[in-house]
Structures are given as structure tokens and as C-alpha cells.
């Protein structure tokens, strides 16, 4: 269903923005409810991955796993529509509740930068559209495969909130940009639940299975001796999102940098598991995640 970029093409996405300027978001949801079964039918790999996720890792019966798979795809569709509603200037439609905001603001007042880690659970991107501060620039790593429509609207909204976008490139220049940002005392934001072609990972217990998690964000934090915050942005209702800000720390009882990195990875995976157990329908890794 999703391979790192938003479907619909440039023309379709522009029409969607125009649609939301004139019509109610709930109408878009109603259309999505009808469209979702076709996605499930024709994007079979994504459908099976999510079905197996519910069947094997939550031990749901077959009928319940199928129902939950539909709910998962529907949630994902609504989250995509929410993004385009914001692009259309309907940001005021949504209410945001922040849990643990003090863990974020305390680091804004320090000289050092820090690392924010996200995941493909809920709607991490929309958090950037609603949270604004002018103390530190946030340098967010993204993939550059989106259409011009998405890239332009995304850049415009995020730049207004002091967020700079860094495209992930094959020449690894994004890593130099991240290093420079932390040297300047800024913030680096990146996902921590997908390998993105990297072979540097830690195998962890996660939801009754074993899965690899990348160490990139944690190695960056350990290298610059900065703190890490995980942010999860969860859709609660049609017009409400709840943002969780969670410290990802280490006990300090480690002898090497590798041990520190591993401990942070395990801490993050534990918090991710807690969130996914609360909101299982909002897990949006549409591939066979577990070994």
C-alpha cells in the first residue's frame, strides 16, 4: 500500500487539496472507507503483512485479524487525508494534546542539541505542523521520493515551525548535515523503526517476535553525547491527536559506546511496544517486519 511516498500523483494530490478547501473532512473519510477494500485487494503484500501482524503478534482469530487489518488501512487513509486537509489550510480543524511536553522544553533551554526519534506509528509528520518553537532549529531527515506537491506544502508548513528538511541521499551527505546540526546545538529528527538499507542494527524482542532495529539515531546521540526523545503522534478521533514525548535514556552502567547504543535501542523498543499495544491499528509498516 505504501512504499515511502504518497500515492495519487501530482494532479490527484492537487485535486485533493482543492477538495478539502470546499468540502468537509468527514466526506473524505466516507470515500476512503469505500476505497480501502480495493487497496487491500490490489496491494496484497501490504495487506498480508498487516494481517500477519495481528494474527501472529496479537494472537487474534482470523476474522478479527481481517477486521483489524481493514481498520488499520482505514486509519492510514484518514491520516493521509488529514495531511492534505492541513495543506488546504484546515489546520484549525484539529486539536492536539501533548503528554510529556516538559521533556521536550527542558532540552530547548540547554546549549546542547538533541535527537528526536519517530516511528511509523500514528502520524509523526503532522506533529511538526502543529508544534512550533523558535529556540532551536529541528533538522528532520526525510526521503525525497515524494511528489512536488507534497514536498512544497510540507516544506512551507514545516519551515514556519523552524523545521529544516534534510533529504536522505545515497551519497550519505545527510549524515554530514546531521553532524553539523548537532555541533551547532540544533535538533536532529529521524525515524528509528526502519533499516532503510542500513546493515547496522540490533535484534530485539518486540511483540512476541524478533526484529531488527537500526542504531543510526542512537549512534548519533552517543557520538555527540546528547539526549534522545521519542515522539509518537496518535490519532484519537476525527479531530484530535495525542502527542507523547518520552525520554529515551540509559542507566549509565555501560563500559563502551556500543553498550550505550544498545541500551538506548532497547529502551526505545520498549516504549514503542507500549504505544503499539495501546494503538495496534496505527502500526503502518506495510511489510513483513519480524524475522
Amino acid at each position: 500500500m505504501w512504499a515511502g511516498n504518497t500515492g495519487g500523483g501530482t494532479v490527484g494530490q492537487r485535486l485533493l487539496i482543492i477538495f478539502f478547501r470546499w468540502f468537509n473532512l468527514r466526506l473524505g473519510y466516507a470515500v476512503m472507507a469505500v476505497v480501502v477494500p480495493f487497496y487491500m485487494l490490489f496491494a496484497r503484500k501490504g495487506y498480508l503483512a498487516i494481517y500477519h501482524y495481528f494474527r501472529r503478534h496479537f494472537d487474534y482469530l482470523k476474522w478479527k485479524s481481517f477486521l483489524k487489518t481493514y481498520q488499520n488501512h482505514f486509519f492510514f487513509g484518514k491520516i493521509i487525508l488529514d495531511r492534505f486537509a492541513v495543506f488546504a489550510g484546515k489546520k484549525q480543524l484539529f486539536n492536539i494534546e501533548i503528554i510529556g511536553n516538559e521533556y521536550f522544553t527542558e532540552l530547548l533551554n540547554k546549549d546542547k542539541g538533541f535527537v528526536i526519534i519517530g516511528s511509523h506509528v500514528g502520524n509523526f509528520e503532522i506533529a511538526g505542523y502543529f508544534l512550533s518553537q523558535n529556540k532551536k532549529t529541528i533538522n528532520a531527515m526525510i526521503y525525497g521520493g515524494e511528489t512536488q506537491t507534497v514536498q512544497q506544502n510540507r516544506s512551507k508548513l514545516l519551515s514556519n515551525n523552524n523545521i529544516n528538511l534534510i533529504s536522505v541521499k545515497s551519497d550519505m551527505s545527510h549524515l554530514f548535515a546531521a553532524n553539523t546540526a548537532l555541533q551547532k546545538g540544533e535538533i536532529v529528527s529521524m525515524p528509528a523503526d526502519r533499516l532503510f538499507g542500513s546493515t547496522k542494527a540490533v535484534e530485539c524482542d518486540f511483540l512476541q517476535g524478533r526484529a531488527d532495529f537500526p542504531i543510526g539515531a542512537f549512534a548519533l546521540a552517543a557520538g555527540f553525547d546528547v539526549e534522545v526523545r521519542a515522539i509518537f503522534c496518535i490519532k484519537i478521533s476525527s479531530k484530535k491527536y495525542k502527542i507523547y514525548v518520552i525520554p529515551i535514556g540509559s542507566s549509565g552502567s555501560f563500559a563502551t559506546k556500543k553498550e550505550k547504543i544498545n541500551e538506548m535501542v532497547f529502551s526505545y523498543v520498549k516504549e514503542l511496544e507500549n504505544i503499539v499495544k495501546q494503538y495496534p491499528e496505527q502500526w503502518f509498516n506495510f511489510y513483513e517486519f519480524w524475522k
Side-chain angles (χ1 to χ4, degrees):
M1 182 176 180
W2 190 75
N5 59 287
T6 306
T10 299
V11 174
Q13 291 172 4
R14 288 177 178 172
L15 290 174
L16 197 56
I17 293 174
I18 295 172
F19 175 88
F20 282 125
R21 287 175 180 163
W22 295 97
F23 295 99
N24 190 286
L25 181 59
R26 291 183 182 275
L27 178 58
Y29 289 171
V31 173
M32 182 60 67
V34 177
V35 170
V36 161
F38 294 95
Y39 274 109
M40 294 171 63
L41 179 64
F42 293 107
R44 187 166 176 78
K45 286 186 177 180
Y47 157 73
L48 287 175
I50 298 300
Y51 176 82
H52 293 156
Y53 155 72
F54 286 115
R55 189 86 172 94
R56 299 170 181 171
H57 301 283
F58 285 88
D59 295 326
Y60 292 156
L61 297 175
K62 291 182 179 180
W63 67 268
K64 187 173 182 178
S65 296
F66 177 80
L67 176 62
K68 289 291 184 179
T69 300
Y70 173 85
Q71 291 176 340
N72 168 270
H73 283 60
F74 187 32
F75 256 113
F76 185 70
K78 290 193 290 185
I79 279 172
I80 295 296
L81 294 183
D82 289 352
R83 179 204 289 182
F84 282 93
V86 174
F87 289 168
K90 297 295 183 69
K91 181 177 174 179
Q92 73 280 0
L93 288 176
F94 301 99
N95 299 312
I96 304 295
E97 178 185 358
I98 305 176
I99 308 297
N101 192 46
E102 66 275 12
Y103 297 121
F104 181 78
T105 56
E106 69 178 357
L107 297 185
L108 291 177
N109 297 316
K110 295 182 179 180
D111 292 333
K112 276 188 173 184
F114 58 97
V115 174
I116 292 174
I117 53 175
S119 64
H120 294 80
V121 176
N123 196 349
F124 181 67
E125 181 178 326
I126 209 168
Y129 300 149
F130 288 93
L131 302 180
S132 61
Q133 50 79 34
N134 56 16
K135 292 186 177 181
K136 292 180 183 291
T137 298
I138 299 176
N139 299 272
M141 289 193 187
I142 62 164
Y143 269 85
E146 289 285 12
T147 65
Q148 186 179 16
T149 299
V150 171
Q151 290 184 23
Q152 288 179 344
N153 283 277
R154 175 191 275 167
S155 296
K156 180 181 178 181
L157 288 167
L158 294 178
S159 63
N160 291 337
N161 288 351
N162 201 19
I163 299 176
N164 172 53
L165 300 180
I166 302 174
S167 293
V168 174
K169 298 180 179 179
S170 58
D171 63 4
M172 308 303 285
S173 59
H174 56 281
L175 297 180
F176 294 104
N179 290 341
T180 300
L182 288 177
Q183 288 170 356
K184 293 164 61 177
E186 296 178 350
I187 304 166
V188 173
S189 171
M190 57 194 302
D193 64 339
R194 286 188 187 171
L195 295 177
F196 296 117
S198 172
T199 58
K200 296 181 178 180
V202 175
E203 186 176 307
C204 302
D205 288 318
F206 179 61
L207 290 176
Q208 303 188 69
R210 301 285 293 176
D212 287 334
F213 286 84
I215 68 169
F218 309 101
L220 192 64
F224 284 90
D225 191 28
V226 297
E227 296 191 52
V228 179
R229 296 290 182 265
I231 292 183
F232 303 99
C233 185
I234 304 297
K235 187 172 179 63
I236 302 300
S237 64
S238 295
K239 296 183 178 180
K240 181 178 179 179
Y241 279 89
K242 183 178 289 187
I243 297 174
Y244 295 87
V245 182
I246 302 173
I248 302 298
S250 57
S251 63
S253 58
F254 44 80
T256 66
K257 178 181 175 181
K258 181 179 179 181
E259 290 177 354
K260 181 178 182 179
I261 292 170
N262 288 352
E263 191 170 352
M264 286 192 290
V265 173
F266 296 144
S267 175
Y268 163 70
V269 171
K270 179 181 178 181
E271 298 297 344
L272 177 64
E273 185 174 71
N274 289 338
I275 289 291
V276 175
K277 284 181 177 178
Q278 291 181 64
Y279 308 100
E281 297 86 1
Q282 296 191 50
W283 169 262
F284 301 130
N285 282 301
F286 294 98
Y287 64 96
E288 296 293 350
F289 189 85
W290 285 263
K291 291 188 171 182

